[in-house]
Short mmCIF file of all heavy atoms in Angstrom, two decimals:
data_model
loop_
_atom_site.label_atom_id
_atom_site.label_comp_id
_atom_site.label_asym_id
_atom_site.label_seq_id
_atom_site.Cartn_x
_atom_site.Cartn_y
_atom_site.Cartn_z
N MET N 1406 104.06 68.46 83.81
CA MET N 1406 104.65 68.37 85.14
C MET N 1406 104.28 67.06 85.75
O MET N 1406 103.14 66.58 85.48
CB MET N 1406 104.35 69.57 86.06
CG MET N 1406 104.95 70.88 85.63
SD MET N 1406 104.65 72.21 86.71
CE MET N 1406 105.79 71.78 88.09
N SER N 1407 105.09 66.45 86.64
CA SER N 1407 104.85 65.23 87.29
C SER N 1407 104.64 65.60 88.70
O SER N 1407 105.14 66.63 89.27
CB SER N 1407 105.95 64.29 87.21
OG SER N 1407 106.11 63.90 85.84
N PRO N 1408 103.96 64.72 89.54
CA PRO N 1408 103.77 64.98 90.94
C PRO N 1408 105.21 65.13 91.63
O PRO N 1408 106.09 64.40 91.28
CB PRO N 1408 103.12 63.73 91.48
CG PRO N 1408 102.32 63.29 90.19
CD PRO N 1408 103.26 63.57 89.11
N GLY N 1409 105.23 66.16 92.53
CA GLY N 1409 106.52 66.40 93.28
C GLY N 1409 107.39 67.34 92.61
O GLY N 1409 108.45 67.77 93.13
N GLU N 1410 107.13 67.85 91.38
CA GLU N 1410 107.97 68.77 90.61
C GLU N 1410 107.74 70.16 91.01
O GLU N 1410 106.60 70.46 91.36
CB GLU N 1410 107.82 68.51 89.09
CG GLU N 1410 108.57 67.31 88.57
CD GLU N 1410 108.53 67.28 87.02
OE1 GLU N 1410 107.52 67.85 86.45
OE2 GLU N 1410 109.51 66.86 86.52
N SER N 1411 108.68 71.03 90.77
CA SER N 1411 108.48 72.42 90.85
C SER N 1411 109.02 73.19 89.61
O SER N 1411 109.81 72.61 88.91
CB SER N 1411 109.16 72.98 92.11
OG SER N 1411 110.56 72.82 92.04
N ALA N 1412 108.54 74.39 89.43
CA ALA N 1412 108.93 75.11 88.31
C ALA N 1412 108.89 76.63 88.66
O ALA N 1412 108.15 77.00 89.58
CB ALA N 1412 108.06 74.92 86.99
N GLU N 1413 109.66 77.43 87.93
CA GLU N 1413 109.66 78.90 88.21
C GLU N 1413 109.59 79.52 86.85
O GLU N 1413 110.26 79.21 85.90
CB GLU N 1413 110.94 79.24 88.98
CG GLU N 1413 111.04 80.65 89.48
CD GLU N 1413 112.23 80.89 90.44
OE1 GLU N 1413 112.58 80.05 91.09
OE2 GLU N 1413 112.75 81.99 90.33
N LEU N 1414 108.77 80.68 86.91
CA LEU N 1414 108.62 81.38 85.59
C LEU N 1414 108.75 82.84 86.00
O LEU N 1414 108.09 83.35 86.90
CB LEU N 1414 107.24 81.12 85.06
CG LEU N 1414 106.78 81.89 83.83
CD1 LEU N 1414 107.62 81.48 82.67
CD2 LEU N 1414 105.38 81.54 83.49
N LYS N 1415 109.53 83.66 85.27
CA LYS N 1415 109.78 85.01 85.51
C LYS N 1415 108.69 85.83 84.66
O LYS N 1415 108.54 85.58 83.49
CB LYS N 1415 111.16 85.60 85.17
CG LYS N 1415 111.36 86.98 85.52
CD LYS N 1415 112.77 87.50 85.49
CE LYS N 1415 113.61 86.93 86.62
NZ LYS N 1415 113.66 87.54 87.95
N LEU N 1416 107.92 86.71 85.39
CA LEU N 1416 106.89 87.44 84.72
C LEU N 1416 107.04 88.98 84.91
O LEU N 1416 107.54 89.33 85.99
CB LEU N 1416 105.50 87.09 85.38
CG LEU N 1416 105.12 85.69 85.32
CD1 LEU N 1416 103.85 85.37 86.16
CD2 LEU N 1416 104.75 85.26 83.81
N ASN N 1417 106.91 89.71 83.91
CA ASN N 1417 107.08 91.18 83.88
C ASN N 1417 105.72 91.91 84.11
O ASN N 1417 104.76 91.60 83.30
CB ASN N 1417 107.82 91.69 82.70
CG ASN N 1417 109.31 91.18 82.65
OD1 ASN N 1417 109.93 91.32 83.56
ND2 ASN N 1417 109.55 90.53 81.48
N PHE N 1418 105.70 92.79 85.11
CA PHE N 1418 104.38 93.52 85.27
C PHE N 1418 104.84 95.02 85.13
O PHE N 1418 105.79 95.51 85.67
CB PHE N 1418 103.95 93.34 86.69
CG PHE N 1418 103.47 91.88 86.92
CD1 PHE N 1418 104.31 90.89 87.40
CD2 PHE N 1418 102.21 91.51 86.48
CE1 PHE N 1418 103.92 89.68 87.65
CE2 PHE N 1418 101.73 90.20 86.68
CZ PHE N 1418 102.66 89.18 87.27
N ASN N 1419 103.97 95.80 84.45
CA ASN N 1419 104.24 97.18 84.13
C ASN N 1419 103.33 98.12 85.03
O ASN N 1419 102.13 97.86 85.11
CB ASN N 1419 103.95 97.48 82.62
CG ASN N 1419 104.97 96.79 81.75
OD1 ASN N 1419 106.20 96.82 82.05
ND2 ASN N 1419 104.46 96.12 80.67
N GLN N 1420 103.95 99.22 85.42
CA GLN N 1420 103.23 100.15 86.32
C GLN N 1420 101.95 100.71 85.64
O GLN N 1420 101.91 100.93 84.43
CB GLN N 1420 104.16 101.34 86.52
CG GLN N 1420 103.64 102.47 87.35
CD GLN N 1420 104.57 103.56 87.56
OE1 GLN N 1420 105.82 103.47 87.26
NE2 GLN N 1420 104.15 104.65 88.21
N GLY N 1421 100.91 100.87 86.42
CA GLY N 1421 99.76 101.47 85.96
C GLY N 1421 98.72 100.48 85.35
O GLY N 1421 97.63 100.89 85.00
N LEU N 1422 99.12 99.26 85.17
CA LEU N 1422 98.19 98.30 84.57
C LEU N 1422 97.62 97.29 85.59
O LEU N 1422 98.26 97.13 86.61
CB LEU N 1422 98.90 97.46 83.51
CG LEU N 1422 99.40 98.16 82.23
CD1 LEU N 1422 100.06 97.15 81.35
CD2 LEU N 1422 98.06 98.80 81.47
N SER N 1423 96.44 96.81 85.38
CA SER N 1423 95.87 95.81 86.20
C SER N 1423 96.01 94.43 85.47
O SER N 1423 95.88 94.40 84.22
CB SER N 1423 94.33 95.99 86.47
OG SER N 1423 94.23 97.16 87.19
N TYR N 1424 96.37 93.38 86.16
CA TYR N 1424 96.72 92.10 85.62
C TYR N 1424 95.73 91.04 86.20
O TYR N 1424 95.39 91.13 87.34
CB TYR N 1424 98.02 91.71 85.82
CG TYR N 1424 99.02 92.44 85.02
CD1 TYR N 1424 99.63 93.67 85.55
CD2 TYR N 1424 99.51 92.21 83.72
CE1 TYR N 1424 100.56 94.47 84.86
CE2 TYR N 1424 100.38 92.88 82.98
CZ TYR N 1424 100.93 94.04 83.56
OH TYR N 1424 101.85 94.82 82.83
N ARG N 1425 95.41 90.02 85.37
CA ARG N 1425 94.83 88.81 85.93
C ARG N 1425 95.79 87.67 85.65
O ARG N 1425 96.17 87.49 84.42
CB ARG N 1425 93.48 88.60 85.32
CG ARG N 1425 92.91 87.21 85.71
CD ARG N 1425 91.43 87.09 85.43
NE ARG N 1425 90.71 87.87 86.36
CZ ARG N 1425 89.38 88.03 86.22
NH1 ARG N 1425 88.72 87.45 85.24
NH2 ARG N 1425 88.76 88.77 87.12
N LEU N 1426 96.11 86.94 86.74
CA LEU N 1426 96.98 85.81 86.66
C LEU N 1426 96.04 84.56 86.72
O LEU N 1426 95.32 84.43 87.70
CB LEU N 1426 98.02 85.81 87.75
CG LEU N 1426 98.92 84.59 87.97
CD1 LEU N 1426 99.78 84.36 86.80
CD2 LEU N 1426 99.68 84.68 89.18
N VAL N 1427 96.10 83.71 85.73
CA VAL N 1427 95.35 82.51 85.71
C VAL N 1427 96.29 81.30 85.85
O VAL N 1427 97.18 81.20 84.97
CB VAL N 1427 94.43 82.30 84.55
CG1 VAL N 1427 93.66 80.96 84.50
CG2 VAL N 1427 93.43 83.53 84.42
N VAL N 1428 96.19 80.43 86.87
CA VAL N 1428 96.96 79.29 87.06
C VAL N 1428 95.98 78.10 86.94
O VAL N 1428 94.94 78.09 87.56
CB VAL N 1428 97.73 79.20 88.38
CG1 VAL N 1428 98.49 77.89 88.43
CG2 VAL N 1428 98.72 80.43 88.51
N CYS N 1429 96.33 77.16 86.06
CA CYS N 1429 95.34 76.08 85.73
C CYS N 1429 96.19 74.83 85.61
O CYS N 1429 97.22 74.81 85.08
CB CYS N 1429 94.78 76.46 84.35
SG CYS N 1429 93.37 75.55 83.81
N SER N 1430 95.59 73.75 86.13
CA SER N 1430 96.24 72.41 86.12
C SER N 1430 95.30 71.32 85.90
O SER N 1430 94.17 71.31 86.18
CB SER N 1430 97.11 72.20 87.42
OG SER N 1430 96.20 71.81 88.45
N ASP N 1431 95.89 70.26 85.32
CA ASP N 1431 95.22 69.05 85.09
C ASP N 1431 94.76 68.39 86.54
O ASP N 1431 95.53 68.45 87.45
CB ASP N 1431 96.15 68.05 84.41
CG ASP N 1431 95.58 67.09 83.58
OD1 ASP N 1431 94.34 66.74 83.79
OD2 ASP N 1431 96.22 66.55 82.63
N ASP N 1432 93.55 67.83 86.52
CA ASP N 1432 93.08 67.22 87.79
C ASP N 1432 94.16 66.20 88.38
O ASP N 1432 94.21 65.99 89.63
CB ASP N 1432 91.78 66.60 87.57
CG ASP N 1432 90.64 67.56 87.32
OD1 ASP N 1432 90.76 68.69 87.79
OD2 ASP N 1432 89.69 67.20 86.66
N TYR N 1433 94.77 65.50 87.48
CA TYR N 1433 95.69 64.44 87.94
C TYR N 1433 96.73 65.00 88.91
O TYR N 1433 97.14 64.18 89.81
CB TYR N 1433 96.45 63.88 86.71
CG TYR N 1433 97.53 62.88 87.07
CD1 TYR N 1433 97.33 61.70 87.54
CD2 TYR N 1433 98.91 63.31 87.03
CE1 TYR N 1433 98.30 60.79 87.92
CE2 TYR N 1433 99.89 62.50 87.39
CZ TYR N 1433 99.59 61.23 87.85
OH TYR N 1433 100.63 60.33 88.22
N LEU N 1434 97.18 66.29 88.72
CA LEU N 1434 98.22 66.71 89.54
C LEU N 1434 97.86 67.10 91.05
O LEU N 1434 98.54 67.37 91.88
CB LEU N 1434 98.87 67.96 88.91
CG LEU N 1434 99.62 67.68 87.57
CD1 LEU N 1434 100.04 68.89 86.95
CD2 LEU N 1434 100.84 66.73 87.92
N GLY N 1435 96.48 67.26 91.21
CA GLY N 1435 95.97 67.59 92.55
C GLY N 1435 96.12 69.08 92.85
O GLY N 1435 96.03 69.94 91.96
N ASN N 1436 96.31 69.40 94.06
CA ASN N 1436 96.25 70.81 94.54
C ASN N 1436 97.64 71.44 94.42
O ASN N 1436 98.48 71.47 95.32
CB ASN N 1436 95.92 70.81 96.05
CG ASN N 1436 94.46 70.33 96.20
OD1 ASN N 1436 93.64 70.37 95.31
ND2 ASN N 1436 94.17 69.91 97.44
N VAL N 1437 97.89 72.01 93.24
CA VAL N 1437 99.16 72.69 92.94
C VAL N 1437 99.27 73.94 93.73
O VAL N 1437 98.33 74.73 93.88
CB VAL N 1437 99.26 73.00 91.40
CG1 VAL N 1437 100.41 73.82 91.12
CG2 VAL N 1437 99.17 71.77 90.57
N ASN N 1438 100.37 74.19 94.32
CA ASN N 1438 100.71 75.42 95.16
C ASN N 1438 101.44 76.33 94.32
O ASN N 1438 102.30 75.91 93.45
CB ASN N 1438 101.60 75.07 96.39
CG ASN N 1438 100.93 74.19 97.33
OD1 ASN N 1438 99.83 74.45 97.73
ND2 ASN N 1438 101.51 73.10 97.66
N TYR N 1439 101.11 77.64 94.36
CA TYR N 1439 101.97 78.65 93.66
C TYR N 1439 102.06 79.93 94.45
O TYR N 1439 101.34 80.21 95.38
CB TYR N 1439 101.31 78.93 92.30
CG TYR N 1439 99.89 79.65 92.33
CD1 TYR N 1439 99.82 81.05 92.23
CD2 TYR N 1439 98.85 78.87 92.54
CE1 TYR N 1439 98.62 81.60 92.18
CE2 TYR N 1439 97.57 79.55 92.48
CZ TYR N 1439 97.47 80.90 92.32
OH TYR N 1439 96.25 81.57 92.36
#
Side-chain angles (χ1 to χ4, degrees):
M1406 293 183 73
S1407 297
E1410 283 188 326
S1411 62
E1413 189 171 326
L1414 178 66
K1415 187 163 288 276
L1416 301 171
N1417 293 309
F1418 296 94
N1419 294 313
Q1420 178 180 354
L1422 294 177
S1423 294
Y1424 290 91
R1425 174 166 286 173
L1426 172 67
V1427 178
V1428 179
C1429 191
S1430 75
D1431 208 335
D1432 290 334
Y1433 170 77
L1434 294 172
N1436 297 336
V1437 174
N1438 296 308
Y1439 68 97

